[in-house]
Amino acid sequence: MDDRKKDQSIQSHANFDGDSATGDRTQIRQDQQNQQPPQIDPSLADAQAVAASLGVDPNTGLSQAEAERRLAQYGPNELASAPSVPKWKKFLAQFKDPLVYLLLAATGISLIAWFIEKANAAPGAEGGEILPFDAIVIVLILIVNAVLGYIQESKAEEAVEALSQMTAPQTNVLRDGKIARINTVDVVPGDMVVLGEGDSIPADGRLLAAASLRVAEASLTGESVPVGKNVDTLAEAKALGDRANMVFNGTSVTQGTGRAIVTSTGMRTQVGKIADLLQATDDDDSPLQKEMNYVSKILGIAVCIIAAVVLVALALTEGFNDIHDVIDSLLLSVSLAVAAVPEGLAAILTVVLALGVRRMAEHHAIVKKLHSVETLGSASVICSDKTGTLTRNEMTVERVVTPSGEVQLTGTGYAPEGRMIAIPDAGLTSTPSPAQEAAQLEAVATLAVGALANDGELRENTGAGDGSAASDITWEAVGDPTEVSLIVAARKVKADRKYANYTRIGEIPFTSDRKRMAVVAQDNADAGRLTVFAKGAPDVLLGYCSRIAVNGAVRPMTQGDRQQILAAVERLSAEAYRTLGQAYRPLGTASLADVPGVAINAAGHVVDIAEQSDVLENDLIWVGMVGIIDPPRTEVRDSVAEAHRAGIRTVMITGDHPLTAARIASDLGIIDATGAADLGSTVLTGTQLDELPDEAAFDNATRNISVYARVAPEHKLKIVESLQRQGNIVAMTGDGVNDAPAVKTADIGVAMGITGTEVTKQSAKMILADDNFSTIVEAVREGRGIFDNIRKFLRYLLSSNVGEVFTVFGGVMLAGFLGITQPGSQGVTVPLLATQLLWINLLTDAAPALAMGVDPSTDDVMARKPRKLTDRVIDGQMWGDIIFIGIIMAAVTLIGMDMHLAGGLFTDRSVDAVGHDAQMTEARTMGFTILVFAQMLNALCSRSHDQSVFVGLFANKWLWGAIALSTLLQLAVVYVPFLNTAFGTVPLSAGAWVECLGLAMIVLVASELRKCVLRAMHRR
C-alpha cells in the first residue's frame, strides 16, 4: 500500500469514538466536530480487528516516522481551549457596565457643550474653559476603575495558573518494537500504550492485554471503587462505566498491567466530549451584576425623565433665545447625569469585592471573578459530588466481622491511626467479654491475612519539617485503594507484627472472573513453612473454605456458619460497605513441590502457581471479613449543619451506588437515618430521572430529593438547571471531569484545587486550594458579609446622589423663588457646578463608601435565610430610605443657599451689599459644604435600615478615618486659593460654618426619627 492510500486508510478508520485530524492546534475542536464519527464501536469489535483497522501491528506498534505523520495529521493529544483573550480586550471589558455607559454619555454631552461654547465665543473673548475639565475628570475616574478591575482579575488568574502548574505528563508506548516514554500530547491514534500500576491513561483505547488490571474512573464516572478490566468483546453497547474492555483518558491504573490501542485522542475522547458539552453552556451574569444593571437602568431612566421635564419646563417658560441657552441646557443635563450617577460606585464595588477575594484567598478559596464572591453568599442550594468532595476518596476499613463477633476500627484515611472497639459495647464497658476478646484477636488475624494477600503499598512521606512532628508526615496509597485500606487497618491494630516474618514467593492474581486473589508466603520464623493467604468476595471465597477459625481453634465449617456469614454480608452491604473475606491454608511444608497435586514441569520446577489455583485455593480456613467504605470528611458534617442553619440546602450528586450515597448522605446529615433506610423516597438514580415524563415532573423530583446516585454528566447538568428554574441560586462543587458541565452552568461553580481535574478548574468560578468542603461555608459567610456591606454603601451613595439630583432639580425649578436667578435674568443657572458634584462623588463620598465595604457584621449572617433570586439588592425599604434622605438632604442644601442669596425666603440681608455673582459663589460654597457634611452624617445613618446610628457608633474605625479625611478635603477646597478657582468656591466665615453644620445635622435627626417610627411599627 503506498503512502497516500495508507493515509486514506488510516483516516477512514482512525478514532472509533470519532477522532479528528488537524495540524492547527487552535482548530482542533472545530475540525474534530466537523468529521462524522464512524459507526463502529471499539468495545463491540475484536481487539485484533481494531488494530488492523488502525493500521498497526500490536507486536511492534507504530514506527516513529508513522507516529510523527499521524501527529501532524490528527494534532496533539490535548483538549482544545479557546484562544486566550488579549490583554487589551480584558481591559476594555472593564468598561462594559451600564453606569459607565451613562457617564460616557454625560462626557459626550460635556464635550459637545465645550466645543459649541468655544466655536461661538466672540472674537478676542476667552471662550470659557481652556480644556473640558468635566469630561476629563469623568474619563480619568473611569480609567482608574478599569485598571483596578483588570489588576484584581489578573491576580486571580495568576493564582489559578499557579495551581495548574505541573510537569508535562508522559506515557509509555510501543514504537518500532520497543517501549518508549513520550509526552502524552504526542500520543496518536493507533499507538500501543503500555499500562502499569500508577499510570495515568493518556487517551481512550481498546484493551489488547490485561493482567489483574483495575482502573480508577472516579474522575470520569464518579465510581469510587476501581473497575476491573478485561479484553473480552462486549456483546452489546453498554454505559461508559460498564465498558470493561476500554480505558479512558484522564483515569488511572491502580492495579495490574495492560496494553491498549489508542482509538481516540484529544477532543474525541470521552473527556473531550465533556469539554464540548462545556462549550454549549454560557456564562451568565451574577445576581449582583444583574442588580447593578437594573439599578443603572433605573438611574438612567430617572435622569432622562428629570432632564426632559426640566428642559421642557424651561423651554415653555423662557425658551431658548440663543446658543448660550442651548449650552446652559446641555450643561444642566451633564449636571443631572453627574448628580444621579455615583461615579465612584464601580471603583468602590471593585475594591470591596477585591478585598473579599483577598480574605477568601487567606482561607484557601481562590475566586476567579470578583462578582462570584457575592454570588456564593446568596447561594440557596449547594450541589456537591460525593467522591473526593464530601468524602476523603480514601477507602477505609471500618468493620471486621469474625466468627466470634464484630469490631469497629476508628480513624479515617490512609494515616494508620485508630483503635479497635468491640461491638455492640462500642467501648462503653471497661472489661470486654470473652466473646469480645476472641473477636478482637480474630480481627487482628483477619487483617493480617488481608495485608499479606495484597499488592498495595502504604508510603510514609516526610514534609518540610524534620519529621518529628505528626504534621510533617503524610501517607500515600500506591496501588488499589481497597488493598491499601487493609494495610492501614492492619497497622492500626498492630497486625503487621503477625506477618513481619513472611516472605511472598508466588501469587494467584485477582481477576474479575475469579473475584479473589491468593498469595503463597513462607514463614521465616518457622523453618520456611508455606501458607496460602487469600481474600475476595465473601460469597465466592466461602465456596473454597471447608474450615473456620473460632476462638483460636480450627473446626469444620457448618451450613449454619455459612448462613451466618452470608447474613453478615447482606447486613454490611445494606449499610453501604464493600465486603472482602479473608482465609488461609497452612501447606505444612517448605517446598511447593511437596504439596499434593502441584504440577512439576519436565525440568523439575514447579509450574507457575497462577495456573494451579484449583490445587492451592481449596480447603481454606475462614478467618473473617472486612467492611470497607470511602468515609465522609470529618469536618463536612458540621459544614452541612452550618449550611442548613443558614437556610442552604445541600444536594449530593454522584455516580456511586444508591446504598453508598444514602449512607454517606445520612452520616453527613444531608438526609436523616429514616431516609437512608427508605431509598425509594430519598434517593433517585439516573435511570429513574430518565423515566420522568416531563420537565414539571423533573422539577418536582429535584424539589424534594437531595441525593442522586448512578448519574451521568448530563443528569448533573439537568439537576442544576432544574434547581435554577425553581428560583434557586445554585453552587455546584466537584473535582472530576464528569462534574465540569454542571460546575460551569451553576450560578457559581466550585472546583477542587488539589484533586480537581484541569477541565473542572477551567469551568469553575472559584477553586478550593485545600479541597476542603468546609471552606465553602466560610466563603458563604464571607459572601453574605460582603453583600450586607454592599447594601450599606449603596444606601449611602444612592441616597447622597438622589439628594444631589433633587438639589439640582429643585434649584432649577425653584430658581426664582430661592433667589438663584434674579428678576429679568435669562438662561439657566444651576445651583451647583458639575465639578463640585464630581468632587463630592469621587473624593468626599469615596472614602466613607470604601470604609463601609469593610464594616463589621451587626448580626449573625449565617442565622438568616438566603435571599431569593427575585429579591432586589435595593428593595422597596431601601428605596424608601434613599428617597427620604435625598429629599431632606436637598431641602437643607437649598435652604443654606437661600440664606446667602438676595430675594430668597430666608435671606440674610447683609448679602444685599454684594452683587448677585458674588452672592451666587458664596451660596454655592454653602450648598456644596452643607451637602458634603450631610453626606458624612448620612454615612453613619446608612449602616442600618432601622438600627440607631448610636448602636456600634465607633465599631468601624475606618469609617471615622474616612469622615476625617473627607472633612479635610472639603476644608482644602474651601480655603486653598487654586482650588477656589477650580471649584468656584470662596472661604466661609465662622458663622457660615455654624449654619452648615447645623443644617447638615438635620439629616441625622430626621433619619433617627424615621428609624424610631420603623422600630415602633416592627414591634407591633
Side-chain angles (χ1 to χ4, degrees), residues 303-322:
V303 168
C304 293
I305 292 174
I306 293 174
V309 170
V310 172
L311 292 176
V312 169
L314 290 173
L316 293 175
T317 57
E318 300 183 12
F320 296 137
N321 301 312
D322 55 29

Side-chain angles (χ1 to χ4, degrees), residues 388-463:
T389 306
L390 297 173
T391 65
R392 299 175 62 94
N393 200 17
E394 297 177 349
M395 302 301 288
T396 302
V397 175
E398 284 192 353
R399 300 289 184 88
V400 184
V401 180
T402 71
S404 297
E406 184 175 347
V407 300
Q408 178 179 344
L409 296 183
T410 64
T412 59
Y414 295 135
E417 301 166 356
R419 63 191 184 94
M420 185 162 49
I421 300 175
I423 295 177
D425 291 41
L428 296 179
T429 59
S430 58
T431 304
S433 66
Q436 291 170 347
E437 290 182 341
Q440 291 178 346
L441 292 174
E442 292 167 359
V444 173
T446 300
L447 294 173
V449 172
L452 279 165
N454 203 304
D455 289 325
E457 179 185 354
L458 180 65
R459 291 180 183 171
E460 181 179 354
N461 299 320
T462 303

Side-chain angles (χ1 to χ4, degrees), residues 860-880:
D860 184 359
V861 295
M862 298 298 283
R864 62 174 101 119
K865 301 298 181 184
R867 70 185 186 93
K868 297 178 181 178
L869 194 60
T870 54
D871 291 347
R872 294 289 186 189
V873 176
I874 306 174
D875 54 19
Q877 286 184 338
M878 188 184 291
W879 278 119

Side-chain angles (χ1 to χ4, degrees), residues 607-821:
V607 175
D608 185 2
I609 66 169
E611 302 175 5
Q612 303 191 62
S613 60
D614 55 336
V615 175
L616 297 174
E617 292 180 334
N618 60 51
D619 195 26
L620 297 176
I621 301 170
W622 177 270
V623 288
M625 65 178 173
V626 296
I628 305 172
I629 198 168
D630 179 13
R633 293 177 179 267
T634 53
E635 68 276 9
V636 169
R637 182 176 180 85
D638 291 339
S639 299
V640 170
E642 180 79 347
H644 180 73
R645 188 173 73 89
I648 302 171
R649 176 184 168 200
T650 303
V651 175
M652 177 195 292
I653 309 175
T654 179
D656 218 333
H657 193 279
L659 281 173
T660 305
R663 159 68 191 278
I664 297 297
S666 176
D667 287 349
L668 294 176
I670 296 174
I671 59 175
D672 56 29
T674 304
D678 183 13
L679 291 183
S681 62
T682 56
V683 181
L684 278 180
T685 65
T687 302
Q688 290 171 320
L689 289 173
D690 289 335
E691 293 172 352
L692 294 174
D694 52 33
E695 193 175 271
F698 199 101
D699 289 350
N700 185 60
T702 57
R703 187 177 293 110
N704 301 304
I705 301 296
S706 294
V707 181
Y708 301 88
R710 291 294 190 211
V711 296
E714 56 267 25
H715 293 131
K716 296 185 178 186
L717 192 59
K718 289 180 179 178
I719 291 169
V720 169
E721 291 173 340
S722 174
L723 291 168
Q724 289 174 325
R725 284 196 299 270
Q726 297 166 37
N728 291 297
I729 296 177
V730 181
M732 172 71 191
T733 73
D735 58 350
V737 174
N738 60 326
D739 301 325
V743 165
K744 184 174 182 182
T745 301
D747 295 289
I748 179 163
V750 184
M752 301 297 139
I754 299 174
T755 59
T757 57
E758 198 59 35
V759 172
T760 309
K761 292 177 188 176
Q762 292 173 0
S763 306
K765 296 182 179 69
M766 189 175 88
I767 298 174
L768 301 183
D770 61 353
D771 283 14
N772 193 334
F773 184 87
S774 298
T775 303
I776 300 171
V777 177
E778 286 302 315
V780 169
R781 183 189 303 276
E782 186 68 42
R784 289 190 174 190
I786 289 172
F787 178 73
D788 282 358
N789 289 342
I790 288 173
R791 281 176 55 89
K792 291 176 184 178
F793 74 69
L794 281 176
R795 181 187 290 113
Y796 164 63
L797 287 176
L798 292 179
S799 59
S800 297
N801 281 88
V802 167
E804 294 168 22
V805 170
F806 286 162
T807 298
V808 174
F809 178 73
V812 172
M813 299 305 295
L814 304 174
F817 191 66
L818 296 172
I820 293 176
T821 58

Side-chain angles (χ1 to χ4, degrees), residues 17-18 20 27-35 78-82 265-282 717 737 740-741 744 759 762-763:
D17 281 339
S20 66
Q27 295 296 323
I28 292 175
R29 188 184 68 83
Q30 181 179 351
D31 291 345
Q32 289 176 330
Q33 289 296 344
N34 290 339
Q35 190 180 50
E78 60 186 1
L79 298 183
S81 58
T265 58
M267 292 298 291
R268 298 310 296 175
T269 61
Q270 294 298 327
V271 171
K273 291 178 180 179
I274 294 177
D276 262 348
L277 189 57
L278 292 177
Q279 300 294 332
T281 60
D282 298 323
L717 192 59
V737 174
K744 184 174 182 182
V759 172
Q762 292 173 0
S763 306

